[in-house]
Amino acid sequence: MVATDDVPVIQLGVEDAAAGLVLSTEAHWNQTEEDWRVFLHQGIVFGIRNGSQLVATAALLPYSGENAWISMVLVTASQRRRGFATRLVDACLEAARKRGLTSWLDATPDGAAVYGPLGFTPTLQLRRLRLEKSGQALAPAPSAAPRDALCERDRRAAGFDRTALLSAFAQRPGSRIISTKGAIALIRDGRTARHIGPLFANDAADALALVDAIARSENGPILLDAVASQDAFLAGLTTAGWTIERPFQRMRFGPATAAGEEVPFAVAGPEFG
């Protein structure tokens, strides 16, 4: 591995949103430029440049209750195997340590093999699923639900407050908060597919009914990051034609914080928790 200690780690600003999008697009991720602005407005994003080109990033997104999410760990293909990702994750961990925050992340299997030796502890597992759709929507959108109802359910599940994040999502063109039969979810635009999550329900049948209602009202591909322990929900999705794209392992660095009162059926995304 090439020594890179002389390459400075810098903190990025809002003006770097478009450059960040170039990196996540190269990796075939679903983030939009608006997602990057969330990290740059609400969090701390570290980066490395090669001349004027942004070649690597990692973000720390603080939440309430002494929690923070690490994500957007990206290195352009020509600059990999130089230790950039490790340096940037270390910068995020140091920023979290100074603020007294427990750090969380959702890792791919390859990422989990790297983060484990750094001191991250596995917690729950996720499964990313995709539904391919084309053509006209078959039904109208389900009933709209108030943002406060989603934020309250999210607080109960996460154990901490993410009102700022969910509000940023809800305010975007194309975003909808919808509910039916006691289930509630947010659906928003992504770069290549719409994304459902977070999604909360009293049971798997209600969660599946809401997903079906959403899917019938959409006319393009949809992604969803399901909690793997929700077995009946996962089974129902695959029976309905959703395909599992990849697993994620949720991991924690630091002491455990307040636990949520319920387990969601789908999360806001591996980049947001």
Side-chain angles (χ1 to χ4, degrees), residues 192-270:
T192 63
R194 299 268 279 166
H195 187 274
I196 298 174
L199 186 157
F200 310 101
N202 297 327
D203 55 43
D206 288 349
L208 288 166
L210 181 56
V211 170
D212 179 66
I214 293 171
R216 288 171 60 81
S217 70
E218 294 287 324
N219 58 10
I222 312 172
L223 295 174
L224 181 152
D225 294 299
V227 176
S229 61
Q230 300 283 19
D231 297 342
F233 181 60
L234 269 174
L237 290 173
T238 55
T239 298
W242 291 74
T243 57
I244 297 175
E245 284 196 336
R246 66 179 67 90
F248 290 100
Q249 174 67 64
R250 182 157 294 181
M251 308 182 82
R252 185 188 76 241
F253 186 96
T257 53
E261 299 174 19
E262 64 174 303
V263 178
F265 284 86
V267 301

Side-chain angles (χ1 to χ4, degrees), residues 30-105:
N30 196 46
Q31 286 79 22
T32 64
E33 190 167 329
E34 288 80 7
D35 289 327
W36 276 98
R37 290 195 186 102
V38 168
F39 291 106
L40 292 160
H41 275 295
Q42 298 184 17
I44 305 164
V45 184
F46 297 101
I48 292 174
R49 297 188 192 280
N50 181 14
S52 62
Q53 181 189 7
L54 183 65
V55 299
T57 60
L60 180 76
L61 187 61
Y63 293 135
S64 69
E66 300 180 343
N67 294 279
W69 223 261
I70 293 175
S71 59
M72 310 313 289
V73 181
L74 289 156
V75 183
T76 193
S78 64
Q79 301 294 319
R80 291 173 189 162
R81 302 189 64 80
R82 300 185 63 188
F84 288 165
T86 299
R87 289 184 62 201
L88 291 168
V89 170
D90 285 345
C92 290
L93 290 173
E94 178 61 15
R97 184 193 65 78
K98 289 179 177 177
R99 293 161 176 78
L101 302 174
T102 289
S103 296
W104 301 79
L105 55 76

Side-chain angles (χ1 to χ4, degrees), residues 150-201:
L150 180 72
C151 292
E152 175 57 31
R153 198 75 182 260
D154 190 71
R155 274 192 294 272
R156 284 166 47 192
F160 49 86
D161 182 55
R162 300 195 298 179
T163 296
L165 173 70
L166 298 179
S167 296
F169 287 163
Q171 290 166 5
R172 297 179 188 174
S175 291
R176 293 185 288 142
I177 299 171
I178 50 187
S179 65
T180 181
K181 296 182 179 179
I184 188 168
L186 183 145
I187 182 163
R188 58 190 173 88
D189 286 342
R191 187 182 63 84
T192 63
R194 299 268 279 166
H195 187 274
I196 298 174
L199 186 157
F200 310 101

